[in-house]
Amino acid sequence: MTDTTDRQLADQYEAYPYPRRDPRDEARRLIVGSPSHLVEVDHWVFGATRPATAPLRALVAGGGTGDATVMLATQMARAGRPGGVTWLDRSAAALRIARERAAARGLTNIVWEQRSILDLPGSGLGPFDYIDCCGVLHHMPDPAAGLRALLSVLAPGGGLGLMVYAPHGRTGVYMVQDALRMLAPADLPPARRLDVARRVMRHLPDTQWLRHNRNFDDHINGGDAGLYDLLLNPRDQAFSVPALDALLRDAGLEVTCWVEPLRYDPVPLLPDPKLRALLTGMTSTQRAALAESLAGNMAVHIVYCVRAGEAPRRADPFAPDAVPITREWTSDDFAKAIGPDGALIINLDGLRIPVALPPLALAILRLVDGQRTVAQIGAVLAERGIKPDAFDRAWRQTFTALERVNRLLLAAPTAG
């Protein structure tokens, strides 16, 4: 433990392991998300150039009740991918739940380590090709020290998937946290603090911004663990785009993707050409910061990153042998979301943005299965009378648009 607050954090996650999960639910659904979806890791961390036959050694640092661990281990097992996932966390209560979830799925590709992220240097663990650290750095007394610990076990050429809180989309949270620090100080037992928080929430004035914030629902549907983690956590530091960028740069990291890229583009939020002209000369970080301020609804930032100078050579999505793959969406999902005007409506936490697609997009997407190459897709459409140049134009427009919303990526090659 580094300080009193750290002890309070440890006590919190023993009393209320987070997030609330029931291992029996594994029989009916797999929780998926970002970071650490296997398709995303292949694409954004390794540029879709690392062979699927190469063992993937992954670490979930701050594994909690197992969401990322179970997701990634399940996806690797289903795909027959060699390697495994190491779960690491301090909480014994979280470990029990995560183990039960893995057992319910019959997963045998997980190693369990009950220890702190700060114990990683000199631990003998690793090196790891990929490290997930989701929802952890913003609770640490020194996030930079946490990053240094992670980098100590990151293999050359490896990458990280990180999630930290963002300030604007959490409007109301810190106001209520301030109130609860006065009514339920952090040195009280967790159960007493939780009782006070429940009582406050029952009488929270309608003028309190938290009542109007729909960017998260832990305090409504997350049970005791969700309410405690959102409003009673003794240490909670949100990062704006510039603050997170500075943290990563100081650690010697560069971002390969802000998830989803479209979220961090201010252009769709500025339809006025005179306003768009003001973007000229802005850096990518400045543009992302502007999008964050304009949208106002980013409650977290999710990034994939690698060591500076180690960004992978990206596979060419327009090469004949490239293999596209959709991320969770089926062709029916695309068909339902594409409007009569041909635009795909993307809902980014309440912010609806139309994404223009060519008329051939749906026909192309119906053939994307993670196995067919671009050339094979083009050949099928050629048999249906689509000329090669028309397919090439449509494919370029379709991939470019859907990669920006993290729906269409490239699969890892099957051989080196």
Side-chain angles (χ1 to χ4, degrees), residues 139 165 170 172-184 193 200 208 210 227-237:
H139 294 315
Y165 293 148
R170 286 166 63 81
V173 169
Y174 298 108
M175 301 174 194
V176 176
Q177 284 186 3
D178 287 344
L180 290 175
R181 270 190 285 271
M182 291 184 275
L183 295 169
R193 300 190 73 215
V200 168
Q208 167 52 241
L210 183 61
L227 179 61
Y228 203 107
D229 194 64
L230 183 70
L231 300 178
L232 293 168
N233 199 296
R235 182 155 41 220
D236 175 340
Q237 176 184 357

Side-chain angles (χ1 to χ4, degrees), residues 341-400:
D341 60 353
L344 175 70
I345 304 300
I346 294 295
N347 188 336
L348 301 175
D349 298 318
L351 178 63
R352 294 170 60 84
I353 298 179
V355 176
L357 294 174
L360 279 176
L362 191 54
I364 292 172
L365 292 168
R366 291 192 187 280
L367 296 172
V368 173
D369 61 1
Q371 303 294 323
R372 290 189 183 94
T373 64
V374 170
Q376 290 169 334
I377 293 171
V380 171
L381 292 177
E383 292 175 355
R384 301 175 185 174
I386 305 301
K387 294 181 178 181
D389 59 340
F391 164 71
D392 182 67
R393 287 194 302 272
W395 169 241
R396 288 175 180 273
Q397 294 169 13
T398 300
F399 185 85
T400 300

